[in-house]
Amino acid sequence: MEFETVQVETHGRVGLIRLHRPQALNAISVQLIKDLSAALDALEADRTIGCLILTGSERAFAAGADIKEMQNFTYPDTYLDDFITSWERLSRTRKPIIAAVSGVALGGGCELAMMCDFILAADTARFGQPEIRLGVMPGSGGTQRLTRFVGKSKAMEMCLTGRMMDAVEAERCGLVSRIIPAADLVEEALKVAANIAAMSLPVAMMTKESVNRAYETSLAEGIRFERRVFQSQFALADQKEGMAAFIAKRPAEFNKE
Ligand code: DAK
């Protein structure tokens, strides 16, 4: 798979997408969103891929939307073009996807990371929503997702001042799941992703869907959804395999088609 602004590698059942605009700290251009969406489409269509990773370079996950490209956008450009919708492709990813963040994840970069299922952060990671300093506010979920991750007080402070938080603060407030030494970040993300990819793919996807329901519905509706999906899993060969393997004291072999 060849793209202008992202690189795609597969490692067994793991698909790794690396944002790649080194000259601009991976600033997110219209082309980058197109390439990212196409890479996601391809990896999601491939049944041998069970988990995805989105990462950047050591210096930058992504320094935000491309300010040089955005500077002269007009209101009709942003409203009539597919600017907003195309960014949402990442949040519609059905397979599990991990953000592996090293260096800066700012503005749209922080928003992309938050669209993933969880964030593994290098000890060098820095997160922020600095859009207000450019005379705009977060436009791709920053005010909504950051608030759900870290609560109103910290989200409000981050969005109103544009200050960055480091990896330790990000872990403390629940934005990232774990901090990893920068040199080991991708290797550790690959291990975590391989572990997830070895699970039953439909069960992993249903689990993701169910956790996400917690953000979108009442507790009673969410519990009902979870129960129905859980019940449906008894129709899967992977449920028979997982439980038989436990009883036989052997590793389970999921995803046999
Ligand atoms: N856009 C374009 N170029 C960027 C960039 C960006 N966001 N960030 C960095 N660069 C470029 C720099 O211009 C510089 O290019 P040259 O001058 O070498 O040509 C190169 O990358 C290296 O950057 P620096 O020289 O500045 O490097 P430093 O280490 O000194 O500083 C920094 C690193 C990350 C602190 C700094 O570059 C910085 O503050 N960058 C801007 C961060 C920022 O403000 N990000 C928020 C952007 S606004 C939307 C969805 C989302 C959004 C909007 C709409 N819709 C769906 C409608 C999102 C908006 C944003 O993200």
Side-chain angles (χ1 to χ4, degrees):
M1 265 177 268
E2 292 283 319
F3 301 100
E4 202 181 312
T5 61
V6 306
Q7 297 172 334
V8 179
E9 296 163 16
T10 57
H11 299 253
R13 291 178 52 80
V14 176
L16 182 142
I17 303 175
R18 191 185 295 278
L19 305 176
H20 187 64
R21 290 189 74 213
Q23 72 290 357
L25 299 182
N26 293 333
I28 305 156
S29 58
V30 170
Q31 185 62 44
L32 185 140
I33 287 293
K34 270 191 199 147
D35 290 346
L36 174 60
S37 302
L40 289 168
D41 286 345
L43 292 170
E44 289 227 90
D46 182 347
R47 285 205 186 182
T48 68
I49 297 295
C51 188
L52 313 181
I53 297 170
L54 181 63
T55 194
S57 66
E58 263 184 43
R59 200 171 157 208
F61 178 75
D66 190 318
I67 300 167
K68 293 168 191 167
E69 192 178 71
M70 259 189 318
Q71 180 189 11
N72 295 318
F73 279 4
T74 63
Y75 173 67
D77 289 336
T78 61
Y79 184 79
L80 297 175
D81 293 357
D82 212 13
F83 198 32
I84 291 179
T85 315
S86 55
W87 277 63
E88 284 172 359
R89 170 65 186 84
L90 180 58
S91 60
R92 290 200 310 275
T93 303
R94 296 179 70 220
K95 289 181 181 174
I97 180 161
I98 303 168
V101 174
S102 182
V104 288
L106 299 177
C110 188
E111 292 172 323
L112 285 189
M114 290 190 293
M115 286 180 201
C116 296
D117 297 321
F118 59 94
I119 302 174
L120 295 176
D123 46 13
T124 57
R126 282 179 299 157
F127 299 86
Q129 297 290 162
E131 290 90 337
I132 197 159
R133 297 185 186 183
L134 300 167
V136 289
M137 60 185 250
S140 207
T143 63
Q144 304 303 300
R145 289 199 179 90
L146 187 64
T147 307
R148 283 168 166 79
F149 275 104
V150 307
K152 176 180 166 182
S153 188
K154 198 177 280 286
M156 203 61 105
E157 187 209 344
M158 301 293 296
C159 292
L160 287 176
T161 67
R163 86 165 170 89
M164 291 188 217
M165 63 166 112
D166 63 16
V168 171
E169 184 178 356
E171 187 188 33
R172 199 172 55 226
C173 67
L175 177 59
V176 311
S177 68
R178 221 144 44 85
I179 303 176
I180 293 151
D184 305 331
L185 177 71
V186 172
E187 197 187 318
E188 179 64 17
L190 282 168
K191 268 191 215 154
V192 176
N195 184 17
I196 294 170
M199 309 296 177
S200 162
L201 178 57
V203 173
M205 290 170 65
M206 290 173 197
T207 303
K208 165 173 176 161
E209 202 183 344
S210 194
V211 172
N212 282 333
R213 277 291 160 116
Y215 287 97
E216 290 161 6
T217 190
S218 67
L219 179 61
E221 273 309 313
I223 296 284
R224 226 185 321 272
F225 177 83
E226 181 193 76
R227 187 172 310 145
R228 291 286 172 260
V229 176
F230 172 77
Q231 288 163 343
S232 76
Q233 291 172 345
F234 285 77
L236 291 171
D238 284 339
Q239 174 268 326
K240 300 289 175 287
E241 166 61 12
M243 294 189 184
F246 174 81
I247 291 161
K249 301 185 189 299
R250 61 169 173 84
E253 277 186 63
F254 295 122
N255 305 304
K256 285 198 200 145
E257 295 248 345

